[in-house]
Amino acid sequence: MEAKQTVFVNEFTNGILDPNGEMLGPVQDGGYIVANTTPGCWGPMITPCIRGGHEVTKPVFVEGAEVGDAIAIKIKSIRVTSIATSSGNDKPMEGRFVGDPFVAVKCPQCGTMYPETKIEGIGPEAIRCANCGADVTPFVFTNGYTMAFDSNKRVGITLHKEAAEHIAQQGRYFMATPDNSVQNPIVTFAPHDLVGTVARLRPFLGQLGTTPAQPFPDSHNAGDFGQFLIDAPHEYGITKVQLENRTDGHMDINRVREGAVLICPVKVSGGGVYLGDMHAMQGDGEIAGHTTDVAGIVTLQVKVIKGLTIDGPILLPVAEDLPYLAKPITKKEKEIALDLAQTWGVRKLEESLPISFIGTGANLNEATENGLQRAAKVLGISVPEVMNRATITGAIEIGRHPGVVTVTFLCPVHYLDEIGLTTLVRDQYRDVLE
């Protein structure tokens, strides 16, 4: 098929990222992807026919992207369309899944795997097996809330029981669930443990990336959640070695927002760019396990970077989101540094730009080690050098607990020259460099 300048996406996976599955597009190198994304996490979590913890978009084939390349994804815009949502801490329901409640749900009464469901009424027992009528939700809340947003999507407030139950009666409307989505709206549960809490919106994508080299449940395409797949008793179980085929698209890093650039590995022909799991807001770490899942409209621009072989994503956050020590050196700071260099006889100062490597693992220690190793491998330097640079010109920040971090630091431009990223990084921070 002829590549298109813009590919519009309103189709979704069944929760499995499958490199052998059909892709949309192709989109031109340098072209745009415009997607109407579904809410992630809780809706898919109470929809047993979805075989992952999310309901992400069908992947898009990017023209010219080959295994061993990378794709730079510029997030041009993110717009929340949901009027309200529900979220909170989860509790798996024993006896309703095989090994993993996110992936392999089994009806406790008739034994059907991945059963179709119907909604009867509202509340945590409303999700029923279409085959036998049994309560089949694999998760319930331990502490939950329903939140409504103002029309300009600037703030949200958590609602009382009556308002939450009103929203629950028209769940797909209030969540603006896309037409082709099959998920049950989580507002059906009408949780209301928090009432009157005010929160600012800063939407971002919890899922953005490329298709892994073997089938993965979408929520488990990461080094922390992927641990649940190792030797799992269901059909999507993998070995520890096979976990390396992931692309870490499920990051829940709140800096993956409008204006940021995410550079993703290409592990299948065409890359297979997918997205979803939009969140209205989230503090570093997503310590509750879940946040405000919303539907939305996202515009991305994609650009193939030939020959840049990476294991996981590289993030160029908006300048505002950079750690203090990793912000580009200002003209005034450079003048002071030059005077200091002359005093001490240092002939040349490094020119540097910010870069952030994503690391994932079973826990934060492993994720940090993974991020350090990825940075060292891509730049062709030692891990100790990365550690020093991240310590004095950057930071290690938590994306998601238990095991997603960013390793951010000011990187010498000559390192970026060698991997062909200087122009992209300089363009991202042009406004603060001038």
Side-chain angles (χ1 to χ4, degrees):
M1 293 179 62
E2 182 178 353
K4 301 175 182 179
Q5 180 181 0
T6 303
V7 171
F8 296 94
V9 181
N10 65 349
E11 298 179 57
F12 310 100
T13 71
N14 67 345
I16 300 299
L17 297 166
D18 188 349
N20 301 310
E22 177 188 7
M23 291 191 189
L24 304 178
V27 66
Q28 294 175 1
D29 182 9
Y32 295 84
I33 298 170
V34 180
N36 182 190
T37 62
T38 70
C41 290
W42 269 106
M45 284 164 53
I46 62 167
T47 310
C49 67
I50 298 177
R51 305 182 182 194
H54 299 132
E55 188 183 22
V56 298
T57 60
K58 282 189 175 180
V60 175
F61 190 104
V62 179
E63 181 183 40
E66 300 172 318
V67 175
D69 295 335
I71 299 175
I73 304 173
K74 298 181 179 182
I75 306 174
K76 307 298 285 187
S77 67
I78 297 178
R79 296 292 180 268
V80 174
T81 54
S82 294
I83 301 169
T85 189
S86 296
S87 192
N89 314 92
D90 72 67
K91 175 187 175 182
M93 301 294 286
E94 294 298 330
R96 300 183 183 183
F97 55 90
V98 177
D100 189 333
F102 290 97
V103 175
V105 180
K106 180 179 180 180
C107 177
Q109 184 164 299
C110 68
T112 302
M113 290 296 300
Y114 316 113
E116 297 293 329
T117 54
K118 56 186 177 181
I119 298 176
E120 294 184 353
I122 63 174
E125 297 180 357
I127 309 303
R128 298 284 168 166
C129 175
N131 183 52
C132 71
D135 178 4
V136 76
T137 181
F139 290 98
V140 294
F141 288 113
T142 56
N143 184 279
Y145 53 88
T146 297
M147 178 178 287
F149 308 116
D150 78 289
S151 60
N152 293 315
K153 305 300 190 289
R154 293 174 296 188
V155 298
I157 62 167
T158 55
L159 304 177
H160 52 66
K161 180 176 183 289
E162 292 76 14
E165 290 182 346
H166 170 71
I167 287 170
Q169 299 285 354
Q170 303 177 70
R172 288 184 69 91
Y173 167 75
F174 280 102
M175 294 204 72
T177 308
D179 294 336
N180 293 325
S181 169
V182 301
Q183 68 178 260
N184 296 316
I186 186 55
V187 292
T188 302
F189 281 16
H192 51 273
D193 292 310
L194 300 182
V195 178
T197 301
V198 182
R200 301 181 184 91
L201 269 72
R202 177 176 272 185
F204 70 99
L205 294 172
Q207 282 263 21
L208 179 61
T210 46
T211 301
Q214 72 177 78
F216 269 77
D218 49 16
S219 54
H220 293 19
N221 182 24
D224 52 356
F225 275 86
Q227 301 295 320
F228 298 125
L229 298 177
I230 297 174
D231 300 325
H234 52 72
E235 61 184 295
Y236 301 106
I238 62 173
T239 66
K240 188 173 183 178
V241 172
Q242 289 175 316
L243 185 57
E244 296 303 314
N245 290 323
R246 71 187 192 274
T247 56
D248 283 338
H250 181 207
M251 296 175 289
D252 286 327
I253 295 171
N254 58 18
R255 297 176 289 285
V256 182
R257 65 184 182 101
E258 183 174 310
V261 178
L262 189 70
I263 304 168
C264 300
V266 176
K267 297 192 177 182
V268 299
S269 179
V273 173
Y274 75 92
L275 62 153
D277 193 28
M278 184 188 295
H279 296 157
M281 75 285 288
Q282 178 198 293
D284 288 354
E286 196 183 19
I287 199 62
H290 307 284
T291 182
T292 44
D293 309 309
V294 289
I297 305 293
V298 180
T299 301
L300 309 173
Q301 184 179 23
V302 294
K303 179 64 179 174
V304 177
I305 304 174
K306 300 300 293 183
L308 178 60
T309 302
I310 54 179
D311 292 330
I314 298 171
L315 177 63
L316 306 180
V318 297
E320 179 185 1
D321 291 349
L322 288 166
Y324 174 74
L325 296 179
K327 293 183 184 294
I329 300 298
T330 66
K331 183 179 294 186
K332 180 63 176 177
E333 289 169 332
K334 192 170 293 184
E335 290 174 356
I336 296 171
L338 285 170
D339 286 343
L340 190 60
Q342 187 173 15
T343 299
W344 289 96
V346 177
R347 296 182 179 181
K348 186 177 181 180
L349 297 177
E350 288 180 347
E351 182 185 2
S352 60
L353 292 168
I355 193 167
S356 187
F357 290 84
I358 311 301
T360 72
N363 52 56
L364 292 174
N365 285 342
E366 289 189 17
T368 301
E369 185 62 30
N370 178 245
L372 294 170
Q373 290 174 350
R374 284 177 170 177
K377 182 178 179 181
V378 170
L379 298 175
I381 59 179
S382 69
V383 168
E385 180 177 343
V386 176
M387 294 170 74
N388 280 331
R389 292 188 180 278
T391 299
I392 64 172
T393 71
I396 308 296
E397 297 176 296
I398 299 174
R400 176 179 64 237
H401 187 275
V404 179
V405 305
T406 51
V407 178
T408 308
F409 55 93
L410 288 173
C411 181
V413 166
H414 67 88
Y415 288 169
L416 298 175
D417 288 341
E418 292 173 6
I419 59 174
L421 287 184
T422 302
T423 299
L424 180 64
V425 180
R426 198 183 297 279
D427 285 348
Q428 174 68 354
Y429 300 111
R430 187 170 301 280
D431 288 347
V432 294
L433 290 170
E434 292 176 350

